[in-house]
Amino acid sequence: MIEAKDISFSYGEREVLRGISLEVGEGEFVAILGPNGAGKSTFLRCLAGILKCDGVFVKGRPINDYPPRELSKVLAYVPQRVEPGFLTVFDTVLLGRRPYMGLTPSERDLKVVEEALKRLGIEELALKRTNEISGGELQKVSIARALAQEPEVLLMDEPTNNLDLKSQLEVMRLARELAREGKAVVTVMHDVNLALRFAKRFVFMKDGRKIADGGLEVLSEKLFEEVYGVKVEIGEVRGVPVVVPL
């Protein structure tokens, strides 16, 4: 569905990504993990086509060959932070329908927006302006706008930012559901335990390189010490892996 082939990226003379390859197929839920400065967000922005580099393909086609409107129908990106504005929540989510809309939204556009709001549990916020809601609520609005694009590939950078515990679980359950519906879902995460509970595949990065890639079988105390520089103990609670720093 989306593929990176040996991509590198630099900000000026500072190399941030060093030859990373990754292929994510239909129905996969991948969490990208690693310490601050590992290049995770930069890598995600390269996958989204926001940062231009060679070697990224969406559905077998170079991402740089896609016109923006066409790419927006296939791929959606949720950033770490979203700035509030004067639009209502409903109209903000409706912006996700721009690739499909004419001069005015159709009945289908409005229905898709309503469904996106419902999936995020923010229907009651529809008529509020985004500068009148909390940071966590604004994060849910950003995810709803991405869902309104009806993408086949969903990329999310720290989607649980500003969310309370209940909302974190709701968003991660939604991400898992979307993968089960056939979307390719890739999230950058800092909360390792939350990622291990919901994702099925884990990519560990450090210093702009991919250190490990796979399912639960790649987890080891040695890996966490190599990637994060801390000793951990890996346990299990009700069948879910739990990483405890020592």
Side-chain angles (χ1 to χ4, degrees), residues 57-122:
F57 300 83
V58 178
K59 301 181 71 173
R61 178 179 171 187
I63 195 169
N64 294 331
D65 288 355
Y66 277 87
R69 189 181 185 96
E70 185 180 349
L71 181 62
S72 295
K73 294 179 179 180
V74 180
L75 182 150
Y77 168 77
V78 178
Q80 280 187 25
R81 299 176 186 84
V82 182
E83 293 299 322
F86 293 98
L87 290 177
T88 65
V89 166
F90 190 94
D91 287 341
T92 300
V93 176
L94 184 61
L95 291 175
R97 298 300 299 168
R98 289 175 65 184
Y100 304 91
M101 282 169 41
L103 294 176
T104 58
S106 66
E107 287 188 14
R108 170 158 176 75
D109 292 324
L110 299 177
K111 183 177 180 181
V112 169
V113 171
E114 290 172 357
E115 178 62 24
L117 293 172
K118 184 177 180 181
R119 293 196 79 167
L120 271 300
I122 53 175

Side-chain angles (χ1 to χ4, degrees), residues 19-186:
I20 295 184
S21 296
L22 179 70
E23 185 173 358
V24 181
E26 179 180 335
E28 282 199 273
F29 182 7
V30 180
I32 300 177
L33 303 165
N36 293 332
K40 303 184 300 298
S41 293
T42 297
F43 181 50
L44 199 70
R45 289 195 289 268
C46 287
L47 290 180
I50 297 168
L51 298 176
K52 301 301 181 183
C53 60
D54 295 326
V56 178
F57 300 83
V58 178
K59 301 181 71 173
R61 178 179 171 187
I63 195 169
N64 294 331
D65 288 355
Y66 277 87
R69 189 181 185 96
E70 185 180 349
L71 181 62
S72 295
K73 294 179 179 180
V74 180
L75 182 150
Y77 168 77
V78 178
Q80 280 187 25
R81 299 176 186 84
V82 182
E83 293 299 322
F86 293 98
L87 290 177
T88 65
V89 166
F90 190 94
D91 287 341
T92 300
V93 176
L94 184 61
L95 291 175
R97 298 300 299 168
R98 289 175 65 184
Y100 304 91
M101 282 169 41
L103 294 176
T104 58
S106 66
E107 287 188 14
R108 170 158 176 75
D109 292 324
L110 299 177
K111 183 177 180 181
V112 169
V113 171
E114 290 172 357
E115 178 62 24
L117 293 172
K118 184 177 180 181
R119 293 196 79 167
L120 271 300
I122 53 175
E123 310 99 300
E124 75 283 356
L125 301 178
L127 299 181
K128 286 192 174 183
R129 298 184 188 276
T130 56
N131 59 5
E132 298 173 341
I133 63 178
S134 71
E137 290 168 336
L138 185 60
Q139 184 70 4
K140 287 186 174 183
V141 172
S142 179
I143 296 170
R145 181 172 62 187
L147 293 189
Q149 293 176 224
E150 297 185 297
E152 297 176 56
V153 179
L154 178 61
L155 309 177
M156 298 191 288
D157 195 354
E158 289 293 333
T160 56
N161 263 359
N162 300 312
L163 298 183
D164 59 38
L165 183 58
K166 180 182 178 182
S167 293
Q168 289 177 20
L169 295 174
E170 289 172 348
V171 165
M172 293 300 287
R173 287 191 185 107
L174 174 60
R176 183 172 61 188
E177 288 172 11
L178 293 169
R180 288 172 175 171
E181 291 168 10
K183 298 186 190 301
V185 180
V186 183

